[in-house]
RNA sequence: GGAGAGGUAGCAUAGUCUGGCCUAAUGCGCGCGCCUGGAAAGCGCGUACAGGGAGAAUAUCUCUGUCGUGGGUUCAAAUCCCACCCUCUCCGCCA
């Protein structure tokens, strides 16, 4: 979520920034938001002033009934004088009557009323009636405030809705271009192998090696599901153990998190409302299947305030991830590049605002280091404004070359969201030099998407006879095994 | 699944029966100051979050809301009523 104060103060600047996303719908929301915000504050002032007066007055009015020290004649006079002001909705005037009365200006108030104070017995009845009138009038005032509150609630609902649909603003360093194709590749690293035979795509290699079973996966669960068998399953396990061990060494604390999460968490990290169609909801309606462990890690700290010394906080988790892939229907239907359920090792960094861009570089380099250790050719892609996605201010993708399907595969994606998620989930830190708590910056990156890493390993390490050499770094995780051979 | 006890600002507790002097107290912790050669102790002051308003102000003043969450009753709710969530103890069942 963006800062409403920023939108209020610099709406044109915000529009200009959102314009870089080539998202006209987002830009169009700003004027509506500014109008709703102004209206909200106007009504809020009115309601709060009225509440303040009502609260003060209510105490004084209530005490009239229990007052045993003041003669009833005088109580009646006060009630009468207050009632007159309340009927005219002059609440401050009514308070003034009480203040003057307590200051001792009783005789003036008593003498100012229309009905003269009479003998004791009649006063009691008149007083109680007057008091009931006063209570009734107070109730009317409360009801009027409730109506105002309701109006405010409706405005806030629309305001929130608009705010929740606004994407993040790109960082000034992000190149402004509209499309995915405009993303800027950095120089390729690692060595692309030259093959003296035609390298096969993984959807051929996998079944031939007996390690990916597409047919039975589909039999179980339908299209875009698969089964890893034997060395396939073991390779996956080796891979994420390797990745987690490396990240532990790099200073990430490992987490095991729930795969079923509630709706508010999906809002907190920015998946909802925009991507509600791409997630799976379980039938009882209260849970969603985790689309990425980023959602769990970001939201586990919702509502919390860190000490500055606690930061940065580096977390990693390996989880299954579940995605409907409705938006990509028909794309990448072969193989395991785009599937409904996959494993991913994720990194999340919670950083102080002035350190978050250094953290982004570090996180991205960490990710590249992992690809490098696996001996895969890769490149960094600088993501342009139009392809940033909903939550990121700046993003790098890491791609690895897959010689079998002859394409660059997005194997990792590292983003800074600045305070966008922190604001949604309310995650702050207390600055050491004092001052109010402020929002942290939150970053996330994959390290790495497992199926695509498996694709890259199979396709890059294949040999002419259809075997696949196991990368050096994974061998310790596979009992020293060096090669996967066809059945 | 059954029974009971709970959820109050960083922590621990009071307040709830009996609605209004709660503008939520007290202790601990933490911060600042005094004191000291320095420290401890002692003393003083300050210490939740959010949203508004005044203001040049990230100074200060001020208002509203929040006592697990949401409703309700009432002129008025931490306090009474209803629903839900969570925690703890015991019992039952179970991988």
């Amino acid at each position: 979520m963006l800062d409403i104060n920023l939108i209020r103060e610099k709406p044109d600047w915000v529009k200009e920034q959102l314009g870089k996303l080539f998202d006209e719908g987002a830009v169009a929301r700003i004027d509506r938001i500014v109008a709703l915000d102004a209206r909200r504050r106007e009504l809020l002032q009115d309601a709060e002033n009225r509440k303040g007066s009502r609260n003060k007055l209510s105490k004084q009015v209530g005490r009239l009934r229990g007052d045993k020290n003041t003669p009833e004649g005088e109580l009646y006079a006060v009630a009468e004088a207050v009632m007159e002001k309340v009927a005219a909705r002059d609440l401050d005037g009514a308070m003034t009557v009480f203040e003057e009365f307590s200051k001792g200006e009783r005789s003036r108030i008593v003498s100012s009323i229309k009905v003269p104070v009479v003998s004791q017995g009649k006063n009691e009845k008149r007083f109680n009636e007057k008091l009931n009138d006063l209570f009734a009038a107070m109730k009317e005032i409360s009801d009027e405030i409730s109506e105002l509150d309701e109006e405010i609630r409706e405005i806030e609902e629309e305001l929130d809705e608009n705010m929740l649909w606004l994407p993040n603003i790109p960082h000034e360093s992000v190149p402004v271009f509209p499309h995915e194709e405009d993303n800027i590749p950095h120089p390729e690293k690692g060595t692309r192998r030259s093959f003296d035979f035609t390298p096969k795509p993984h959807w051929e290699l996998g079944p031939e090696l007996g390690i990916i079973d597409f047919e039975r996966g589909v039999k179980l669960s339908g299209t875009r599901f698969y089964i890893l068998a034997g060395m396939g399953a073991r390779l996956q396990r080796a891979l994420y153990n390797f990745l987690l061990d490396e990240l532990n060494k790099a200073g990430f604390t490992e987490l095991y998190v729930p795969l079923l999460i509630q709706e508010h968490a999906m809002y907190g990290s920015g998946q909802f409302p925009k991507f509600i169609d791409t997630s799976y909801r379980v039938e009882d309606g209260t849970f969603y299947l985790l689309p990425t462990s980023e959602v769990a890690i970001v939201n586990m700290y919702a509502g919390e305030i860190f000490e500055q010394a606690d930061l940065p906080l580096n977390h990693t988790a390996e989880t299954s991830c579940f995605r409907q892939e409705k938006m990509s229907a028909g794309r990448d239907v072969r193989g395991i590049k785009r599937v409904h359920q996959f494993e991913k090792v994720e990194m999340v960094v919670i950083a102080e605002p002035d350190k978050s861009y250094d953290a982004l570089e570090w996180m991205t380099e960490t990710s590249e280091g992992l690809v490098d250790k696996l001996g895969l050719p890769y490149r960094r892609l600088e993501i342009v404004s139009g392809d940033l996605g909903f939550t990121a201010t700046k993003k790098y993708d890491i791609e690895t070359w897959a010689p079998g399907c002859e394409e660059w595969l997005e194997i990792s994606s590292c983003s800074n969201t600045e305070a966008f998620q922190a604001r949604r989930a309310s995650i702050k830190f207390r600055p050491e030099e004092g001052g109010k708590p402020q929002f942290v910056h939150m970053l996330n990156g994959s390290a790495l998407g497992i199926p695509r890493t498996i694709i890259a390993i199979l396709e890059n390490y294949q040999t002419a006879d259809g075997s696949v050499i196991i990368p050096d770094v994974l061998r310790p995780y596979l009992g020293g095994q060096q090669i996967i051979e066809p059945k």
Side-chain angles (χ1 to χ4, degrees), chain A residues 48 54 60 65 71 84 91 106 112 131 189 201 228 240 321 333 345 418 422 462 469 486:
Chain A
E48 288 186 353
R54 188 263 323 263
Q60 296 296 331
R65 172 161 280 166
E84 199 176 300
L91 303 189
R106 302 185 173 193
S112 72
L131 214 48
K189 296 198 183 145
L228 295 179
Y240 61 65
C321 302
V333 284
V345 176
E418 293 195 11
Q462 62 182 299
I469 311 286

Side-chain angles (χ1 to χ4, degrees), chain A residues 167-213:
Chain A
N168 208 350
I169 284 174
H171 187 254
E172 58 185 8
S173 67
V174 172
V176 179
F177 293 100
H179 303 118
E180 193 180 338
E181 299 77 52
D182 303 316
N183 289 334
I184 298 160
H186 288 205
E188 194 175 328
K189 296 198 183 145
T191 335
R192 236 196 264 193
R193 239 184 93 189
S194 55
F195 291 87
D196 51 12
F197 58 96
T198 309
K200 293 177 181 171
H202 70 284
W203 56 79
E204 289 176 17
L205 281 167
E208 284 167 15
L209 292 164
I211 62 173
I212 306 178
D213 187 337

